[in-house]
Amino acid sequence: MSDCLFCKIVNKEIPATIVYEDNYVVAFNDISPQAPKHVLVIPKKHIASFDHLTEEDNKEIIPYVFTAINKIAKDLDISEEGYRVVNNCGKMGGQTVGHIHFHLLGGRQLMWPPG
Ligand code: AMP
Ligand code: ZN
């Protein structure tokens, strides 16, 4: 998707602080961090939202995304103290970028319920 912000990060057309990358996944620091540690973890494949995941995506891509999140949490040293993994889906879910992404947030006490 040539007009997708996160595809441009995947393709290194715009800069980001990349903290993890493999064949299927890229993770980078959120430009507007909501916690001391705030990383966005995305599949390289353009998928518009959580609601657009196919059965094939769930079998073949999402496992890599979740494996990456586990690894990054350890790398960021938030594994033991705890953290949050968030996906905002669609308008009512508060999604603002149309390429599926998982927020990994940690480094402070997170509150519940979300706003
Ligand atoms: P969401 O509201 O769940 O769609 O999250 C989109 C996230 O992308 C927000 O937390 C933004 O701060 C973040 N964001 C937007 N543009 C960039 C960018 N160029 N680099 C890194 N993060 C970004
Ligand atoms: Zn995209």
Side-chain angles (χ1 to χ4, degrees):
M1 286 280 285
S2 56
D3 60 346
C4 170
L5 177 65
F6 287 175
C7 282
K8 285 180 181 161
I9 289 177
V10 169
N11 295 324
K12 314 280 165 58
E13 290 164 18
I14 63 167
T17 304
I18 292 176
V19 299
Y20 175 85
E21 181 167 9
D22 64 27
N23 287 341
Y24 300 96
V25 177
V26 176
F28 49 94
N29 287 336
D30 196 296
I31 205 166
S32 175
Q34 301 302 308
K37 314 275 173 78
H38 186 173
V39 170
L40 298 175
V41 187
I42 71 172
K44 286 185 170 176
K45 178 185 174 188
H46 180 85
I47 300 167
S49 79
F50 197 94
D51 201 56
H52 290 76
L53 287 167
T54 64
E55 257 182 61
E56 195 183 347
D57 293 332
N58 282 327
K59 281 190 196 138
E60 295 182 3
I61 296 177
I62 292 302
Y64 288 93
V65 174
F66 275 54
T67 300
I69 292 171
N70 271 134
K71 179 180 171 8
I72 297 160
K74 288 182 177 63
D75 291 347
L76 293 177
D77 211 22
I78 53 175
S79 193
E80 279 181 33
E81 66 191 24
Y83 53 88
R84 188 169 292 168
V85 179
V86 176
N87 172 261
N88 297 324
C89 177
K91 183 168 172 281
M92 293 288 266
Q95 183 178 0
T96 60
V97 177
H99 181 131
I100 189 172
H101 49 282
F102 294 85
H103 298 256
L104 171 59
L105 296 144
R108 69 169 170 85
Q109 181 63 57
L110 298 167
M111 310 308 283
W112 194 262

